[in-house]
Amino acid sequence: QELTTVRVQDPRVHNEGSWNSYVDYKIFLHTNSKAFTAKTSCVRRRYREFVWLRRQLQKNAGLVPVPELPGKSAFFVGSTDEFIEKRRQGLQQFLEK
């Protein structure tokens, strides 16, 4: 049985405290599928790259619904760590769907 696992992990804040700060996430993929030459893969991606991916999927999805992404909020009420973790969980759910 073929199995593919994808994990969104290890959020990192870059340029913290400045106007151009951003967070990227480690995306880890493991599979035993014969369709993939590499069985494991690891990259870092920003939220805006998930937005790009979702748009590309929508263009090609036809009638298949594309899952939503977690919200983007410049004014989050609560801790930054809490927001980053909620977003990480939302990105994980997006990739799983």
Side-chain angles (χ1 to χ4, degrees), residues 31-90:
T31 185
N32 64 359
S33 171
K34 293 177 183 167
F36 291 82
T37 44
K39 300 306 175 191
T40 61
S41 175
C42 187
V43 295
R44 296 199 70 84
R45 294 290 182 251
R46 294 173 64 166
Y47 179 83
R48 70 181 183 187
E49 292 169 294
F50 283 87
V51 172
W52 176 88
L53 173 61
R54 186 172 188 279
R55 284 187 187 133
Q56 297 306 306
L57 291 171
Q58 283 179 309
K59 285 180 185 177
N60 298 305
L63 298 175
V64 177
V66 177
E68 293 294 325
L69 286 169
K72 183 172 185 169
S73 173
F75 303 103
F76 177 70
V77 178
S79 78
T80 303
D81 291 343
E82 181 184 343
F83 175 75
I84 291 171
E85 176 56 20
K86 280 184 164 272
R87 179 176 277 178
R88 186 203 64 75
Q89 291 172 5

Side-chain angles (χ1 to χ4, degrees), residues 9-16 21-26 44-46 84:
Q9 306 170 313
D10 188 27
R12 289 188 189 162
V13 179
H14 298 268
N15 304 323
E16 194 166 7
S21 67
Y22 66 92
V23 178
D24 67 10
Y25 302 84
K26 180 167 67 171
R44 296 199 70 84
R45 294 290 182 251
R46 294 173 64 166
I84 291 171

